[in-house]
Amino acid sequence: MNRAFSRKKDKTWMHTPEALSKHYIPYNAKFLGSTEVEQPKGTEVVRDAVRKLKFARHIKKSEGQKIPKVELQISIYGVKILEPKTKEVQHNCQLHRISFCADDKTDKRIFTFICKDSESNKHLCYVFDSEKCAEEITLTIGQAFDLAYRKFLESGGKDVDTRKQIAGLQKRIQDLETENMELKNKVQDLESRLRITQASSPAGSVTLKSPSTDIFDMVPFSPISQQSPIPTRNGTQPPPVPSRSAEIKRDLFGAEPFDPFNCGAGDFPPDVQSKLDEMQEGFKMGLTLEGTVFCLDPLDSRC
């Protein structure tokens, strides 16, 4: 049986899959802070980051500042860092963006992980102090990463190409709708100019020809805009054009725009292609845990 990850045989997962997939595992720790690092992995990389943040904390401690306490919530959806009392989320690190996680063997209270920031795309090293749970927390993050990758394969990963095609189709539809709207605006602008010209023409001057009538002696119906009623040759008024709801956008044929993300069974995010590419790239990189690389098997036809 192919495994998504390789890990030490003497290390076993500590939680049930249901606990991490349907709920989360909470931990309390002290947050030394985060700092930018040059590489997504490496023992020396996190070692330098720990030294840097420890030194900064010593300075703040000498000034009377305490190390802030935080709550970690670990699940297959990521690692959340919250303020313990208010439960305000300070950081939300998605698992496919975490590339390295380790606890310090020289100082068993310290554990750390490297995560790629979603906005700046920089690699940040987060450092924590936990008196008793440093190793357990790193293993829990590793287990969550394992489960998240399996869920990715079972749901989105194996349908990447199909969802990319759907995303491309949606973009094409949006482009056509935009082009259609631009044409409608041009027609409305021309009609407005025509009405202004007719209204400003002086008496006795040559005016533009009035709208032609059809074989039933009726003024042709225009779905673009509602013009002022023009009497027909028999002196009667044409029936009023029913107003169209401005809330529902319709295409050239009067139908509501097709939305492939709402008509199918799948509930896809709006930026399907970029999101799936990002997740696939993150899971391909793998997670290094305690010096052991949690590398993925080569992506086969499932993805």
Side-chain angles (χ1 to χ4, degrees):
M1 178 178 178
N2 292 332
R3 297 300 303 271
F5 302 95
S6 60
R7 55 187 172 91
K8 295 180 180 179
K9 294 182 179 179
D10 59 340
K11 296 293 184 184
T12 56
W13 296 138
M14 308 186 67
H15 308 284
T16 62
E18 291 76 16
L20 286 165
S21 58
K22 296 182 180 180
H23 306 282
Y24 59 84
I25 307 298
Y27 292 99
N28 292 320
K30 294 180 179 180
F31 185 33
L32 274 67
S34 63
T35 183
E36 182 181 352
V37 293
E38 297 295 330
Q39 300 294 330
K41 298 176 182 288
T43 304
E44 290 299 325
V45 174
V46 295
R47 187 174 297 168
D48 292 341
V50 170
R51 289 197 192 107
K52 178 180 179 180
L53 290 174
K54 275 187 174 181
F55 180 75
R57 281 300 169 188
H58 280 307
I59 295 178
K60 291 184 179 180
K61 188 176 180 180
S62 64
E63 296 174 351
Q65 298 184 24
K66 294 183 178 180
I67 301 177
K69 296 179 180 180
V70 295
E71 177 182 332
L72 299 176
Q73 294 181 356
I74 304 173
S75 69
I76 62 172
Y77 301 102
V79 179
K80 288 185 179 180
I81 305 173
L82 303 90
E83 205 286 325
K85 295 182 180 180
T86 63
K87 302 299 180 182
E88 179 183 357
V89 178
Q90 299 176 351
H91 303 278
N92 187 9
C93 304
Q94 296 174 307
L95 286 178
H96 66 275
R97 291 180 169 272
I98 299 178
S99 54
F100 190 91
C101 182
D103 55 288
D104 193 341
K105 298 306 177 184
T106 59
D107 186 351
K108 296 186 179 295
R109 300 162 54 99
I110 300 297
F111 69 95
T112 179
F113 63 82
I114 297 177
C115 179
K116 188 177 182 181
D117 184 69
S118 59
E119 296 182 359
S120 64
N121 282 330
K122 296 179 179 179
H123 295 286
L124 302 177
C125 183
Y126 295 81
V127 181
F128 303 87
D129 183 326
S130 176
E131 187 173 354
K132 298 179 180 180
C133 300
E135 183 178 7
E136 180 180 338
I137 293 173
T138 57
L139 289 175
T140 302
I141 294 176
Q143 182 182 6
F145 192 94
D146 189 349
L147 293 172
Y149 172 67
R150 294 176 185 276
K151 184 177 178 65
F152 176 74
L153 286 182
E154 292 172 0
S155 58
K158 58 186 178 183
D159 297 326
V160 170
D161 292 335
T162 302
R163 296 188 183 189
K164 285 182 179 179
Q165 293 175 3
I166 293 175
L169 176 62
Q170 187 198 36
K171 185 178 185 304
R172 177 59 179 160
I173 292 172
Q174 291 175 344
D175 291 342
L176 290 174
E177 290 178 352
T178 302
E179 182 179 351
N180 185 23
M181 185 59 64
E182 292 175 353
L183 290 174
K184 286 183 178 180
N185 292 335
K186 288 181 179 179
V187 172
Q188 290 176 346
D189 182 59
L190 290 174
E191 289 182 341
S192 299
R193 293 182 182 181
L194 177 61
R195 288 195 296 269
I196 294 174
T197 302
Q198 290 175 335
S200 60
S201 297
S205 62
V206 179
T207 59
L208 294 176
K209 185 179 179 180
S210 61
S212 59
T213 57
D214 57 17
I215 59 175
F216 300 103
D217 199 24
M218 299 291 290
V219 177
F221 170 71
S222 173
I224 304 300
S225 63
Q226 299 183 11
Q227 299 182 2
S228 334
I230 301 176
T232 58
R233 293 178 184 176
N234 56 16
T236 61
Q237 297 288 343
V241 180
S243 60
R244 311 179 74 184
S245 174
E247 298 180 356
I248 303 178
K249 294 182 179 180
R250 299 180 182 274
D251 59 17
L252 186 61
F253 303 100
E256 296 183 19
F258 171 68
D259 187 353
F261 293 99
N262 292 330
C263 69
D267 185 13
F268 306 142
D271 53 340
V272 177
Q273 181 168 349
S274 60
K275 183 66 176 178
L276 288 174
D277 287 344
E278 175 195 324
M279 292 183 68
Q280 194 169 22
E281 180 183 357
F283 282 125
K284 274 184 178 180
M285 179 180 293
L287 171 66
T288 302
L289 181 66
E290 291 188 318
T292 301
V293 177
F294 280 58
C295 55
L296 304 181
D297 290 332
L299 295 177
D300 50 23
S301 59
R302 296 175 299 174
C303 183

